[in-house]
Amino acid sequence: MANALIGSGIVVRMATLAAPTVFTTLDEVYDIGIPRPKADDIDITTYQSSGFREFTIGLKDPDNWSIKGNYIPGGATDVYMRAALGFQRVINVTFPNGAVISWTGNISEYGPDSTPVDNKLTFMAGGKASGAPTYSGSAAPVNLVFPSVSGPLANGNVLTAFAGIWSGAPAFTYQWKKNGTNIAGAIYATYTTIIGDVGGIITVAVTGTNTIGAATA
């Protein structure tokens, strides 16, 4: 069986050089141009080259990078990218299996890529990478956006858990709690409240598990 991956579940984040481990997740991204370093070929041909050109390896060009996404004017990604334009950022791409590619890049362009009246709005951001990207292997799941709960807290209503956003392509399990204590048997993405829940604090713990490890948020 092929081990091919699809892109669903990729997470793109950025951080400043001053705080390179404090990342902001970019929403609505659908295309990423990861820089592919290229080695220059330097012509060293001489009259002794027997009719064929000769080359040696020169400096490596870190290449350009690009990101495309759905453009939400005034949205969180739009606000972040407009503030980042003209500066360098650490750009971090986490793949569905938890592997990460990171690089430092100039943000030399950002803005609406097109403004059709009968189709979706898109944005384009890009610039030049500085130095080679770094690669890390698969890792245990990491929660990037906390889980949340929707639904009114009233007797007999259904509450629904949103697992949040994670790296590492985890499978999810759920544990609902009342006032911090596990509710027996409440281990699914939805929970139907009972009369005793009203007036209490109902939360859900989501555990993400992959072949490397597990984490709970």
Side-chain angles (χ1 to χ4, degrees):
M1 179 179 292
N3 293 316
L5 295 175
I6 61 173
S8 177
I10 286 177
V11 177
V12 182
R13 303 184 296 166
M14 290 189 180
T16 65
L17 301 188
T21 61
V22 180
F23 285 100
T24 296
T25 300
L26 303 185
D27 297 327
E28 303 286 343
V29 172
Y30 65 76
D31 187 83
I32 309 160
I34 294 173
R36 294 176 293 179
K38 304 176 181 68
D40 291 335
D41 294 320
I42 307 300
D43 188 338
I44 58 169
T45 306
T46 69
Y47 287 116
Q48 287 78 41
S49 296
S50 302
F52 287 90
R53 290 187 181 278
E54 296 183 82
F55 297 90
T56 191
I57 295 297
L59 293 175
K60 294 179 180 178
D61 185 341
D63 198 23
N64 295 316
W65 64 271
S66 63
I67 294 174
K68 294 181 179 180
N70 297 326
Y71 180 57
I72 313 297
T77 295
D78 180 45
V79 171
Y80 181 88
M81 291 303 300
R82 284 191 280 112
L85 182 62
F87 296 93
Q88 284 192 320
R89 288 290 184 268
V90 177
I91 303 166
N92 176 295
V93 178
T94 303
F95 291 87
N97 66 348
V100 177
I101 298 179
S102 295
W103 66 92
T104 299
N106 300 331
I107 301 180
S108 56
E109 61 174 315
Y110 168 73
D113 191 35
S114 62
T115 53
V117 296
D118 60 350
N119 208 329
K120 69 180 182 180
L121 301 174
T122 61
F123 75 80
M124 167 74 179
K128 192 81 171 180
S130 181
T134 60
Y135 296 78
S136 64
S138 301
V142 175
N143 177 253
L144 304 174
V145 175
F146 282 121
S148 61
V149 175
S150 64
L153 184 54
N155 182 35
N157 282 336
V158 176
L159 304 180
T160 301
F162 166 62
I165 297 176
W166 300 68
S167 67
F172 297 115
T173 57
Y174 302 85
Q175 177 61 65
W176 293 86
K177 301 172 181 283
K178 177 184 176 182
N179 298 330
T181 300
N182 290 352
I183 301 173
I187 56 173
Y188 303 101
T190 60
Y191 171 66
T192 302
T193 60
I194 61 176
I195 192 168
D197 293 331
V198 179
I201 298 174
I202 304 298
T203 57
V204 64
V206 178
T207 298
T209 304
N210 65 11
T211 57
I212 308 298
T216 300

